[in-house]
Amino acid sequence: MTSPLKVPVQMPKEKWISGHLTSFKQDPLAFLDQIQKEDTDIVRLRFGHQNIYHIKDPDILKEVLVTKADYFKKAKSFAVLKAFVGEGLLTSEGEVHKQQRRRMQPSFTESHLSSYVMVMEEETKEMMANWKLDTPFNIHTELMNVALGIICRTMFGTDVNKDYLTISQAIDEIMTTSTKRIRSLIKIPLSVPTKENKKYVQSILALENVISSIIQKRREQPTPTRTDLLSILMESRDKDGNVMSERQLRDEVMTIFLAGHETTANAMGWTMYHVATHPNVERKIMDEIQEVVGNSNLTYEHAKQLTYLKAAIHEAIRLHPPAWLFGREAKESITIGENWGLHKGDVVHISPYVMHRQKQYYQEPDTFVPERFLDDSLKHNPRFTYLPFGGGARSCIGNHFSIIEATVVLATIYRYNSINLDKNYPVIPNPLITLRPKEGIMVTVNDS
């Protein structure tokens, strides 16, 4: 006899129409902290008419992301992102996603990563040349710009120095408005010319103009020996011998353009924030850089050997994962875990922010301790207790690129500078599409 399906415990304080959405929108991270306290593997929520099941058990996460992944697709709410990334790697499904991932994979191999290190160091030194000692500035803005410069030079073989302000303003608008639209029960069509819609569409067009100029410049000045991502995308053919359509090319470039620098810049920013609040960690990082790199030019081999710095990065994105929440939608009725039943259309929420702070897997989970990634304390944790880059077939294609970039950029900074937080400007997490510092991170620098 088949046992009846289990029904997850629903969180209290549900509103009649919006369900739990109002509480979530008021303070998403505080809401997730409440979920953390619920003594169950799955917490049932309701956002309007949508049933949502928030998973806290790593073995059930493995089912959703790996063993039963074919029964799920990207959550419908994230279709909002298609307004600006189209059918790029971030939003595409099925065979389209698999084909595009295969096309891009060569740009993220170890041999390619090693060739990018010099560009990463050059861009960082160029950024640092404008810093003034003991003068406060927003390091988050600086890191956004340097990450943008790196992604454009390594992936697209060009620079966008003159467009930094246009790009940063457009991305800020897109991130803020996209977040609002994802969390709204009623989404006003973009064709309706509200003030917010017009700004949003203008921001998308501004980025499209930058991307179009990058692609057009490459078409006008082709170089057969290029091996960057843009060349691979433009020259690759599918199984029928067809090149990528103009629209698909635009979507993939837009996806890498945005995702390729936004998440890494946030990872670097959160690392610098945590290191600045722990002077002993900064000292260990500086000593390691001196020991490993010395007076040499920084290389890929050096980056691999900077284990304490990388531990600090991993610990920072444990506490503040840039991809803090994502979802999957059931394509049909399915059971997961210990006979938990999902119906077609039900949505599963997965939060690295929640998973990374569970007391049964992390001792003192709210404390910044890089050493936990160097000793054996995490060795026996299940796989999906740590997932800053997602998991399964849809895990971030650029995860190794991101860690190497963060290591090289931060090693270059800490090689020459000590970073101090400006205490007049509190650092507040802002959970948009990515987890950003709300007003940036104000710092001063001193010679190391």
Side-chain angles (χ1 to χ4, degrees), residues 83-84 174 200-209 250 254:
F84 60 96
I174 287 170
Y200 186 55
V201 171
Q202 287 168 359
S203 297
I204 293 171
L205 290 174
L207 289 186
E208 285 187 334
N209 288 336
R250 172 264 183 215
M254 179 71 89

Side-chain angles (χ1 to χ4, degrees), residues 14-267:
E14 177 186 18
K15 292 189 180 293
W16 180 53
I17 295 177
S18 64
H20 300 94
L21 183 59
T22 301
S23 297
F24 176 80
K25 287 167 66 174
Q26 285 173 347
D27 191 337
L29 298 184
F31 188 85
L32 292 180
D33 287 336
Q34 281 299 114
I35 286 178
Q36 182 76 270
K37 295 172 184 175
E38 295 291 330
D39 187 23
T40 180
D41 294 339
I42 302 180
V43 179
R44 183 168 174 263
L45 309 170
R46 182 174 64 82
F47 286 4
H49 68 278
Q50 180 69 68
N51 286 324
I52 293 175
Y53 298 89
H54 194 109
I55 299 178
K56 297 166 56 183
D57 181 85
D59 293 327
I60 302 177
L61 287 186
K62 183 179 178 181
E63 288 185 43
V64 173
L65 297 174
V66 182
T67 57
K68 296 182 180 179
D70 290 344
Y71 293 92
F72 294 90
K73 61 182 180 179
K74 280 266 186 177
K76 200 174 296 178
S77 60
F78 287 85
V80 165
L81 304 182
K82 291 188 178 184
F84 60 96
V85 297
E87 291 290 340
L89 197 64
L90 186 65
T91 53
S92 58
E93 299 280 356
E95 281 304 312
V96 173
H97 178 266
K98 290 177 184 177
Q99 180 175 287
Q100 295 305 92
R101 193 174 176 103
R102 282 195 297 268
R103 278 173 157 162
M104 294 186 184
Q105 197 66 58
S107 291
F108 298 97
T109 60
E110 188 169 47
S111 61
H112 278 76
L113 291 180
S114 63
S115 70
Y116 300 151
V117 169
M118 184 174 70
V119 171
M120 295 170 179
E121 186 182 31
E122 285 177 358
E123 288 287 323
T124 309
K125 285 183 175 179
E126 188 174 323
M127 169 186 70
M128 290 161 49
N130 297 315
W131 293 356
K132 296 178 181 177
L133 297 181
D134 301 317
T135 302
F137 65 95
N138 189 343
I139 191 68
H140 183 255
T141 301
E142 295 283 286
L143 293 171
M144 280 287 181
N145 288 341
V146 80
L148 180 62
I150 289 169
I151 207 73
C152 285
R153 285 184 62 187
T154 57
M155 296 290 109
F156 310 134
T158 188
D159 68 64
V160 290
N161 292 344
K162 68 182 188 304
D163 297 312
Y164 276 172
L165 184 58
T166 298
I167 293 167
S168 62
Q169 289 176 342
I171 289 175
D172 286 348
E173 179 63 32
I174 287 170
M175 287 292 174
T176 301
T177 305
S178 293
T179 302
K180 285 183 184 177
R181 291 179 67 80
I182 286 173
R183 296 174 188 170
S184 298
L185 293 179
I186 300 173
K187 297 173 176 58
I188 299 173
L190 293 178
S191 57
V192 178
T194 65
K195 183 178 179 181
E196 186 173 81
N197 278 355
K198 285 194 287 188
K199 283 184 69 178
Y200 186 55
V201 171
Q202 287 168 359
S203 297
I204 293 171
L205 290 174
L207 289 186
E208 285 187 334
N209 288 336
V210 173
I211 287 169
S212 294
S213 68
I214 291 172
I215 295 172
Q216 186 60 31
K217 182 179 177 182
R218 178 60 58 85
R219 293 201 189 285
E220 292 172 354
Q221 301 173 348
T223 306
T225 58
R226 283 188 184 272
T227 59
D228 56 45
L229 177 62
L230 182 56
S231 295
I232 290 171
L233 293 178
M234 293 175 73
E235 294 167 13
S236 67
R237 297 177 181 273
D238 62 20
K239 59 184 179 181
D240 299 318
N242 300 314
V243 296
M244 193 177 291
S245 70
E246 284 296 314
R247 183 65 192 184
Q248 189 66 54
L249 181 61
R250 172 264 183 215
D251 290 350
E252 297 302 353
V253 173
M254 179 71 89
T255 298
I256 297 297
F257 190 77
L258 282 166
H261 89 279
E262 170 79 20
T263 52
T264 306
N266 285 322

Side-chain angles (χ1 to χ4, degrees), residues 191-398:
S191 57
V192 178
T194 65
K195 183 178 179 181
E196 186 173 81
N197 278 355
K198 285 194 287 188
K199 283 184 69 178
Y200 186 55
V201 171
Q202 287 168 359
S203 297
I204 293 171
L205 290 174
L207 289 186
E208 285 187 334
N209 288 336
V210 173
I211 287 169
S212 294
S213 68
I214 291 172
I215 295 172
Q216 186 60 31
K217 182 179 177 182
R218 178 60 58 85
R219 293 201 189 285
E220 292 172 354
Q221 301 173 348
T223 306
T225 58
R226 283 188 184 272
T227 59
D228 56 45
L229 177 62
L230 182 56
S231 295
I232 290 171
L233 293 178
M234 293 175 73
E235 294 167 13
S236 67
R237 297 177 181 273
D238 62 20
K239 59 184 179 181
D240 299 318
N242 300 314
V243 296
M244 193 177 291
S245 70
E246 284 296 314
R247 183 65 192 184
Q248 189 66 54
L249 181 61
R250 172 264 183 215
D251 290 350
E252 297 302 353
V253 173
M254 179 71 89
T255 298
I256 297 297
F257 190 77
L258 282 166
H261 89 279
E262 170 79 20
T263 52
T264 306
N266 285 322
M268 293 190 291
W270 288 119
T271 303
M272 295 191 74
Y273 163 73
H274 285 291
V275 171
T277 59
H278 294 77
N280 60 316
V281 172
E282 183 183 70
R283 187 69 264 161
K284 288 180 183 179
I285 288 172
M286 289 177 167
D287 289 345
E288 180 183 65
I289 294 167
Q290 181 58 41
E291 181 181 340
V292 171
V293 184
N295 296 320
S296 307
N297 291 324
L298 207 156
T299 66
Y300 181 68
E301 288 304 314
H302 290 144
K304 289 200 297 184
Q305 294 171 45
L306 293 171
T307 54
Y308 189 79
L309 174 54
K310 282 189 287 188
I313 295 167
H314 281 292
E315 177 69 343
I317 59 177
R318 181 188 69 81
L319 288 167
H320 289 98
W324 60 283
L325 179 69
F326 58 97
R328 296 288 185 269
E329 181 181 324
K331 295 194 283 188
E332 57 187 88
S333 294
I334 185 176
T335 59
I336 55 176
E338 296 179 355
N339 218 35
W340 300 104
L342 300 181
H343 295 100
K344 180 179 178 179
D346 285 345
V347 169
V348 165
H349 270 186
I350 300 163
S351 174
Y353 180 87
V354 168
M355 296 305 298
H356 295 177
R357 290 170 182 258
Q358 296 207 59
K359 291 180 180 178
Q360 63 267 47
Y361 303 118
Y362 295 98
Q363 191 174 18
E364 297 184 74
D366 297 323
T367 306
F368 180 70
V369 184
E371 287 76 10
R372 74 173 87 236
F373 282 90
L374 297 174
D375 58 29
D376 291 335
S377 61
L378 306 181
K379 187 170 68 173
H380 299 295
N381 279 0
R383 162 67 184 87
F384 288 101
T385 55
Y386 185 71
L387 62 166
F389 299 102
R394 298 200 69 106
S395 61
C396 176
I397 193 173

